[in-house]
């Protein structure tokens, strides 16, 4: 474990400072800026480990996988500009959803709403596929 501590910390701190849900490539590029000698394979492996350990989370969107440090919310994905926005739902809604199902060992809820964001809605809506 010890050998990875620095990289782990670096990934966590970088992601913590991000509010725009970077992809693994974007996250790597950000870290690379300050740490020229960290290898891509190490970063990718460490990111995957952090996800497995539930330290950071994956956000699966139509355009690929993004990463988020914060876990207290869900996401909205704009089908037009690919922007990802945080969505805060009352936890009771999710609890009720799970209660009404027979699922009782849920560890993560990966909920992504897909639609058109406010700033895209205003302009030439007829172009939306
Ligand atoms: Zn948009
Ligand atoms: Zn988020």
């Amino acid at each position: 474990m010890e050998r990875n501590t620095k990289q782990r910390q670096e990934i966590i701190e970088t992601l913590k400072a991000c509010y725009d849900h970077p992809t693994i490539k974007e996250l790597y590029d950000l870290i690379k800026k300050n740490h020229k000698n960290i290898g891509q394979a190490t970063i990718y492996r460490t990111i995957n480990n952090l996800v497995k350990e539930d330290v950071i989370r994956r956000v699966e969107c139509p355009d690929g996988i993004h990463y988020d440090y914060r876990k207290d919310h869900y996401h909205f994905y704009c089908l037009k500009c690919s922007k990802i926005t945080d969505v805060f739902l009352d936890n009771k809604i999710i609890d009720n959803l799970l209660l009404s199902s027979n699922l009782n060992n849920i560890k993560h809820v990966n909920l992504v709403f897909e639609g058109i964001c406010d700033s895209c809605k205003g302009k030439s809506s007829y172009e939306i596929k």
Side-chain angles (χ1 to χ4, degrees), residues 76 78-83 115-121 123:
F76 173 84
C78 177
L79 293 164
K80 213 172 169 205
C81 68
S82 305
K83 195 175 82 183
I116 308 297
C117 77
D118 279 349
S119 54
C120 287
K121 208 163 56 189
K123 50 192 174 190

Side-chain angles (χ1 to χ4, degrees), residues 1 3-4 7 13-14 16-17 25 34-36 39 42 45 48 58 63 66-67 79 86 101 106 122 124:
M1 285 310 258
R3 73 203 152 85
N4 271 330
Q7 283 97 314
E13 291 309 318
T14 305
K16 235 188 223 179
K25 169 83 169 61
N34 301 323
H35 303 268
K36 301 227 177 330
T42 311
R45 193 175 53 238
N48 284 326
R58 288 159 58 111
D63 68 344
H66 297 257
Y67 291 83
L79 293 164
D86 290 340
S101 70
I106 302 298
S124 50

Side-chain angles (χ1 to χ4, degrees), residues 11-69:
I11 291 165
I12 292 168
E13 291 309 318
T14 305
L15 193 55
K16 235 188 223 179
C18 283
Y19 284 85
D20 56 355
H21 311 90
T23 61
I24 202 162
K25 169 83 169 61
E26 288 164 345
L27 195 48
Y28 169 69
D29 287 344
L30 282 171
I31 293 163
K32 189 84 179 159
K33 264 189 214 161
N34 301 323
H35 303 268
K36 301 227 177 330
N37 45 11
I38 293 185
Q40 183 171 355
T42 311
I43 293 293
Y44 278 41
R45 193 175 53 238
T46 311
I47 288 172
N48 284 326
N49 285 337
L50 287 169
V51 170
K52 271 186 221 149
E53 293 162 29
D54 206 16
V55 179
I56 63 175
R57 76 196 263 211
R58 288 159 58 111
V59 181
E60 292 181 37
C61 291
D63 68 344
I65 292 164
H66 297 257
Y67 291 83
D68 202 342
Y69 176 75

